[in-house]
Amino acid sequence: MELGNSLDPVPSWIPASGHALRHVGIHFDAVRAIGMLGEEIAYEVMQFTDFHAGPIVRSGVGERSMYFLLAPGTAAGHRWPPGVEAMNRSARGAAFVGVPALDGATWPLDWRSRPTAEALFVDVALLHEMAWLRAGCAVKE
């Protein structure tokens, strides 16, 4: 990792080792995309940002989802396509996302794209556009 991109200090929501569940809406909002759709959206966002997309967590079990971590309070401001779900603090109840450490054994979670000092979160507008594009639809609000 380049010096300009290093996370120093590392945000408190990233565990020192292994992985930990974090309450969505406190340190970040999240958008979950399931299966191949998640992989495609992640690749598009990463390619568009020259592979400095911000934090994208990949789950290696179950539906193999991608979790795009956004600035707190931003996920609910958009309508997401089918297969893509906003996770935030809402009246529906608590939501949690697993966050891996930056290094070491973190299975079944890993970083598809790591947070950096310049990209502490994924750009919500770009993610929204790429989600609709990969879902095969025009952007909808």
Side-chain angles (χ1 to χ4, degrees):
M1 200 180 283
E2 299 171 14
L3 283 178
N5 291 338
S6 66
L7 278 173
D8 190 22
V10 174
S12 62
W13 50 269
I14 299 176
S17 63
H19 52 78
L21 288 177
R22 299 294 186 228
H23 190 187
V24 176
I26 304 292
H27 301 290
F28 54 80
D29 279 2
V31 169
R32 179 178 70 162
I34 300 169
M36 187 52 81
L37 177 60
E39 287 284 349
E40 292 172 355
I41 294 169
Y43 182 77
E44 293 293 338
V45 170
M46 290 170 61
Q47 185 176 12
F48 193 85
T49 60
D50 198 25
F51 295 86
H52 298 285
I56 303 172
V57 176
R58 176 175 37 202
S59 173
V61 297
E63 297 174 309
R64 299 185 185 266
S65 298
M66 290 285 179
Y67 294 88
F68 301 85
L69 306 186
L70 313 174
T74 60
H78 297 279
R79 185 170 161 251
W80 300 93
V84 179
E85 173 189 13
M87 301 170 70
N88 54 34
R89 269 185 115 155
S90 69
R92 294 185 332 166
F96 294 86
V97 169
V99 176
L102 293 175
D103 298 302
T106 62
W107 190 88
L109 304 173
D110 70 335
W111 291 105
R112 182 70 172 91
S113 174
R114 292 174 176 241
T116 65
E118 291 78 21
L120 190 54
F121 298 107
V122 173
D123 180 285
V124 67
L126 176 61
L127 175 62
H128 180 253
E129 184 177 345
M130 293 300 117
W132 281 102
L133 176 72
R134 294 314 305 166
C137 308
V139 176
K140 304 198 179 191
E141 275 300 322

